[in-house]
Amino acid sequence: QVQLVESGGGLVQAGDSLRLTCAASGRTSSTNVMGWFRQAPGKEREFVAAIRWSGGMPWYADSVKGRFTISRDNAKNTVYLQMNSLKPDDTAVYYCAAREIGAPSYKYDYWGQGTQVTVSS
């Protein structure tokens, strides 16, 4: 099992920045991809960004490209989401997720409890 704990959410104004942190513990060696997702009120959960523990280019949703940056610290089993130039549309609960090695690309096996990000106009 893998446990994921997010932190760093909060209330900010449009144009501000926030950095979310996802601390992974447990059998993290069984995972190879870490992702961030978000869910706004009344909307479905959507993909934000993902990165491999082994490195390589991360990938992003079009809506956040150029504003958000995902990174990882393998020594700390931690993944970050730096969010710049925040917009009210970025308001959502942000979830960290992990994919097990060998799992299909659409499937994430472990999820955190989420952290609220609210961007006021």
Side-chain angles (χ1 to χ4, degrees):
Q1 289 291 323
V2 175
Q3 294 77 43
L4 304 173
V5 178
E6 304 98 333
S7 61
L11 172 63
V12 297
Q13 293 187 332
D16 285 351
S17 299
L18 273 178
R19 188 176 80 157
L20 304 184
T21 298
C22 173
S25 60
R27 294 184 66 244
T28 57
S29 60
S30 69
T31 63
N32 61 347
V33 175
M34 299 294 293
W36 285 97
F37 291 76
R38 66 186 182 186
Q39 187 166 19
K43 295 186 178 181
E44 294 189 353
R45 185 171 58 196
E46 64 175 0
F47 169 79
V48 175
I51 192 168
R52 294 182 177 85
W53 285 118
S54 60
M57 291 293 292
W59 55 107
Y60 299 93
D62 288 343
S63 58
V64 306
K65 279 181 183 176
R67 300 188 299 123
F68 290 12
T69 302
I70 188 171
S71 61
R72 78 213 190 286
D73 184 334
N74 291 39
K76 296 181 179 180
N77 288 330
T78 299
V79 177
Y80 305 96
L81 185 68
Q82 178 66 43
M83 307 186 294
N84 298 331
S85 303
L86 283 162
K87 306 174 182 179
D89 284 349
D90 295 318
T91 295
V93 177
Y94 283 71
Y95 297 92
C96 176
R99 182 189 303 159
E100 282 198 337
I101 297 170
S105 60
Y106 59 84
K107 185 175 182 291
Y108 284 80
D109 301 278
Y110 305 100
W111 295 84
Q113 81 289 351
T115 185
Q116 176 71 47
V117 172
T118 303
V119 184
S120 64
S121 57

